Amino acid sequence: MSARYAAVAVEKTTTAFDALFTYEIPAGLTITAGMRVIVPFGRTDKHRVGVVFSVSDEKPSGRIKSIYAAADDGIVISPEMLSLAEFMRERTFCTYYDAVRTMLPPGLALYISEKHSFNVSRARLAAADGELSDDEKSLVEALSGCSGDAAAEELLKLPGNAAAKKTLTEKGILMLHESVRRKVGDAVEKTVTPVDELPEDIKLSPKQKLVLDTLAEVGAASLKELSYLSGAAESVIKRLADKNALVISDTEIYRSDCAGAEATEKLSDIRFSPLQQKTYDRLLELMNTDEPKCALLHGITGSGKTSVFIKLIEYCVNMGKTAILLIPEISLTPQTVNKFRGLFGGNVAIIHSSLSLGMRADEYKRIRSGEARIVIGTRSAIFAPLENIGIVVIDEEGEHTYKSESSPRYHARDIAKQRCFRHNALLLLASATPSFDSYYNALNGRYSLFEMNERYSDAVLPDVKMIDMRVEAEKGNRSNFSGELIEQLSLNLERGEQSMLLLNRRGFHTYVNCVNCGTVAECPNCGIPLTYHKVNNSLICHYCGFRRSMPEACEKCGSKFIYSSGTGTQRIEEEIKQLFPSARVLRMDADTTMSKYSYEKRFAEFANNEYDIMVGTQMIAKGLNFENVTLVGVLLIDKSLYAGDYLGFERTFSLITQVVGRSGRGSKKGRAYLQTFSPDHYVLELAAKQDYKGFYAQESQVREALIFPPYCDICMTAFSSPEEKAVDIASKKFRELLEEQTKKFGREMPVIILGPTSSGRLNGSFRAKLIVKCRNTKAFRDMLRLVIMSAYKLPEFKKVSFYPDFNGEII
């Protein structure tokens, strides 16, 4: 039998030397595409985890290493996902392995565990024969004095011991033992099943007989269940297993909130308005073409878009197909999941980062086995291992959270398009505030456009009033609340109605400085002001997580006059409690929602009217439905208008439109108050009117004149290094390389190069960015890859990390 060869993506490679590496498949080892394997890699043949992309009979030239072992854990990456990985590598400049790693839940990741054993006898003989160098002797003595295996492993990890460790291993004094492990194992429970025949000579006590009678009645049960049902201790049941009177075995169970759930609501109870029915019928026509289609559903807040999703997903499931629903925020998951679980029971699976590693791994297995055919989750849920997909819905599709800010820097919408193309499925993009790109594509015929411009069940949009905070200041009001908003909050408390206040900033004060010398307390890693958190009297960096206690005196001049300024959610919460001592206030931000189920618990309490006022960041702005909320207040919205990013206006419009839409969703009329120092700004005026088309018309003129997306693509190359000078030199050299390449193409590749410019310091590294306005074509990406590979070979880039990113944030 001729030899076979596998093309393998190997972990821990970088863009500079990423490729599919060819390995020979040893005789007797069955290897197929999608399997994970252990391979020798590099000059030292260190074992690493890899993923097989293809298998061939064609022998390549040169010396070929062999696969060491197959990671036979039952996880096989499908051909669709391998193809997607290649797409992601080409589009986002990630490595093959990073693309595949992103598709799997972290709990299923494999890692190679190394452990050394120390042969004391051989070490003594080698020392007696003079075979050890001074460094080897020192390491042997240190190992002999270690208190245990853990201490010895830590000693061997020290960089200074690397050379001696290697030579001692070659001499057989140290022996390396490797094991391949998964980050999270399977959850199992003891299951008891009956035997076909009892042993002839078996003698049973009354309790044992009761156990067997109970088991015969139920057929099979977990050890705990059988103990409970029979009233016998688990030890009694285990003794019966020892007598071969029953069998106890391990059965895998799923750590899932949805597995085995029963539907508690009827899909038939959903009643459409005429507009919903019309929209549903037209979308159904698209879905039944058996061709890949993309549609944009633009519906005002409260128009009933979710009901349309639900019925389309129901249709898919009834047709034997599967469905994915993406939502932008983890905070939206509880309400969405509860709704879908109530309607579809255990057919639903959830994927998002707040689940434990074990739960995410088990949901993945439920999906792959076909037990769950509807997947709900945030960005990573787009990689759910579903077959025969009928529809992918991206709710609030304009949200920036669908774009990954770490490698691979993909957009969930791009991955969804690829999956829908492969499955001939419908991609439904939906939002009250679609992304500029999507609305542009819909107006130009690339997407089918559907619009729902009326609220469901005769509900009306809330009345919106702009409050000029300059006038409040002239009146002597320096607080965070206008007089009118305070009156409205008081009115809601009297009526027993609920209110929501949006402030997109955590903490109590946003910065702390010395009154005497003006020194601002900054993060030592990032060089930005620390935020004061009153709850734990700490200063915290919201970028790298650095924290320190609140200083009693200025570290520069010694003055005790420390001043804190700015406003965060903690301060707003405290001021509300001072204004309304009897009000029940719920604060929702990243600090109060760290624990598991915190979103679900707190939102459920608010829905049950256990709180009067909710104060929160943008997590409370979208997708939530509380029927008793009749007042929304937006505080300090101006800063998001002037964020310095071309997306600032779009995001501000979306944020205001969405949070205003949380008001008046029940039978009561809603109202909203926008506090601003820029009341005449067109973005705020149009957001108050919920006039997306008017906003699009004005903003598109600005973007076209300044050449911003969708009239171009933006490629930002980011540079970072602990050395400021190195970043400056490398970024400028990168521009030179880029200009050299683009000149070769001339007018065939029009580009506008801006920068490089400094981006300050973050996590201890100085940063810079180079922006290119271009068209994200394959020709441009191929040219950019040439520039990147050339840069890796130059000395200017040795101390600098850099990566390209298309259409992401450019601040």
Side-chain angles (χ1 to χ4, degrees), residues 497-679:
E497 296 171 3
Q498 293 173 297
S499 307
M500 294 174 70
L501 298 175
L502 172 74
L503 175 69
N504 206 21
R505 194 178 300 136
R506 292 156 55 200
F508 191 86
H509 289 299
T510 50
Y511 70 93
V512 172
N513 69 299
C514 173
V515 174
N516 185 50
C517 68
T519 299
V520 176
E522 294 183 343
C523 173
N525 302 319
C526 306
I528 60 173
L530 295 167
T531 300
Y532 175 56
H533 287 244
K534 189 174 183 180
V535 173
N536 52 13
N537 196 37
S538 296
L539 297 177
I540 299 176
C541 175
H542 289 168
Y543 288 88
C544 71
F546 171 83
R547 69 172 60 211
R548 55 163 296 183
S549 59
M550 180 72 172
E552 295 182 0
C554 175
E555 295 179 349
K556 185 175 182 180
C557 71
S559 171
K560 293 190 176 183
F561 292 98
I562 305 296
Y563 177 75
S564 54
S565 184
T567 301
T569 48
Q570 290 181 18
R571 182 175 174 183
I572 294 297
E573 177 189 25
E574 184 169 291
E575 289 186 6
I576 286 290
K577 289 178 177 178
Q578 290 172 353
L579 287 167
F580 307 105
S582 62
R584 299 166 298 171
V585 183
L586 172 64
R587 176 163 58 89
M588 292 294 292
D589 56 29
D591 299 317
T592 62
T593 55
M594 291 181 181
S595 61
K596 188 178 176 183
Y597 301 123
S598 54
Y599 293 102
E600 186 170 3
K601 178 178 180 292
R602 290 171 177 270
F603 283 141
E605 289 169 349
F606 191 75
N608 291 331
N609 289 295
E610 294 178 31
Y611 291 96
D612 303 306
I613 301 171
M614 181 190 292
V615 178
T617 55
Q618 65 179 7
M619 68 172 63
I620 73 169
K622 308 171 191 73
L624 299 170
N625 189 7
F626 302 112
E627 292 191 359
N628 196 36
V629 171
T630 57
L631 174 64
V632 164
V634 182
L635 314 178
L636 300 177
I637 195 63
D638 303 80
K639 292 213 171 185
S640 66
L641 270 178
Y642 308 111
D645 185 353
Y646 77 95
L647 294 171
F649 286 2
E650 182 180 342
R651 289 178 178 168
T652 302
F653 179 89
S654 175
L655 186 63
I656 294 174
T657 303
Q658 293 286 355
V659 74
V660 166
R662 298 314 104 206
S663 179
R665 296 178 74 91
S667 58
K668 302 170 186 175
K669 175 76 173 177
R671 61 223 192 272
Y673 290 81
L674 309 182
Q675 296 188 165
T676 175
F677 288 92
S678 308

Side-chain angles (χ1 to χ4, degrees), residues 359 406 471 642:
M359 291 179 75
S406 60
V471 175
Y642 308 111

Side-chain angles (χ1 to χ4, degrees), residues 134-196:
D134 290 342
D135 288 344
E136 289 172 340
K137 287 179 183 177
S138 297
L139 182 54
V140 166
E141 288 175 7
L143 288 169
S144 300
C146 285
S147 57
D149 292 343
E153 290 298 330
E154 289 300 319
L155 180 66
L156 292 172
K157 287 178 184 177
L158 295 176
N161 291 329
K165 180 175 74 172
K166 181 182 177 182
T167 53
L168 287 175
T169 303
E170 291 169 353
K171 293 175 180 179
I173 295 170
L174 285 176
M175 285 168 284
L176 176 64
H177 308 278
E178 293 180 330
S179 60
V180 180
R181 298 182 180 180
R182 216 167 67 190
K183 278 199 172 180
V184 174
D186 296 331
V188 296
E189 69 176 4
K190 299 292 183 184
T191 301
V192 185
T193 53
V195 295
D196 293 333

Side-chain angles (χ1 to χ4, degrees), residues 399-462:
E399 286 303 307
H400 69 280
T401 50
Y402 287 124
K403 172 74 166 64
S404 171
E405 298 301 330
S406 60
S407 184
R409 293 174 175 82
Y410 68 93
H411 196 294
R413 183 174 56 231
D414 296 331
I415 305 300
K417 286 179 181 178
Q418 292 295 313
R419 299 207 71 182
C420 287
F421 179 79
R422 289 166 168 80
H423 290 263
N424 289 325
L426 172 65
L427 172 58
L428 180 57
L429 309 173
S431 182
T433 53
S435 67
F436 242 71
D437 286 355
S438 293
Y439 202 69
Y440 176 84
N441 286 331
L443 293 181
N444 286 279
R446 295 190 184 97
Y447 303 162
S448 299
L449 178 61
F450 299 86
E451 302 203 81
M452 296 172 64
N453 52 16
E454 60 186 43
R455 276 192 158 186
Y456 180 72
S457 189
D458 298 325
V460 294
L461 288 169

Side-chain angles (χ1 to χ4, degrees), residues 258-437:
C258 292
E262 296 290 334
T264 56
E265 301 176 39
K266 294 181 180 178
L267 286 156
S268 58
D269 288 342
I270 296 175
R271 295 284 185 266
F272 279 162
S273 68
L275 180 57
Q276 284 177 310
Q277 188 65 54
K278 180 182 177 182
T279 305
Y280 171 80
D281 291 340
R282 290 176 60 202
L283 285 167
L284 203 59
E285 287 178 20
L286 271 186
M287 198 157 59
N288 284 329
T289 59
D290 286 329
E291 295 177 358
K293 298 287 184 181
C294 184
L296 174 64
L297 177 54
H298 174 215
I300 63 172
T301 57
S303 58
K305 298 184 292 294
T306 303
S307 294
V308 176
F309 306 162
I310 289 170
K311 296 299 283 186
L312 288 170
I313 289 171
E314 177 196 17
Y315 179 84
C316 272
V317 172
N318 290 341
M319 293 295 290
K321 296 186 177 183
T322 59
I324 298 175
L325 170 60
L326 297 186
I327 50 181
E329 301 265 2
I330 295 172
S331 61
L332 300 183
T333 307
Q335 281 200 343
T336 306
V337 168
N338 288 340
K339 182 69 175 175
F340 273 77
R341 186 167 50 202
L343 291 166
F344 295 99
N347 222 354
V348 175
I350 315 163
I351 297 178
H352 62 75
S353 58
S354 283
L355 297 178
S356 68
L357 294 181
M359 291 179 75
R360 288 165 73 181
D362 286 354
E363 289 291 64
Y364 181 92
K365 288 184 280 187
R366 287 182 64 231
I367 297 163
R368 191 184 57 177
S369 70
E371 180 181 319
R373 295 163 63 197
I374 302 169
V375 176
I376 300 172
T378 48
R379 183 177 63 228
S380 61
I382 193 58
F383 298 111
L386 289 170
E387 299 293 336
N388 196 19
I389 297 172
I391 188 172
V392 175
V393 180
I394 304 184
D395 196 15
E396 305 300 349
E397 65 88 27
E399 286 303 307
H400 69 280
T401 50
Y402 287 124
K403 172 74 166 64
S404 171
E405 298 301 330
S406 60
S407 184
R409 293 174 175 82
Y410 68 93
H411 196 294
R413 183 174 56 231
D414 296 331
I415 305 300
K417 286 179 181 178
Q418 292 295 313
R419 299 207 71 182
C420 287
F421 179 79
R422 289 166 168 80
H423 290 263
N424 289 325
L426 172 65
L427 172 58
L428 180 57
L429 309 173
S431 182
T433 53
S435 67
F436 242 71
D437 286 355

Side-chain angles (χ1 to χ4, degrees), residues 38-49:
I38 310 301
V39 296
F41 191 78
R43 294 177 182 176
T44 60
D45 285 339
K46 190 175 180 66
H47 286 163
R48 292 190 182 179
V49 179

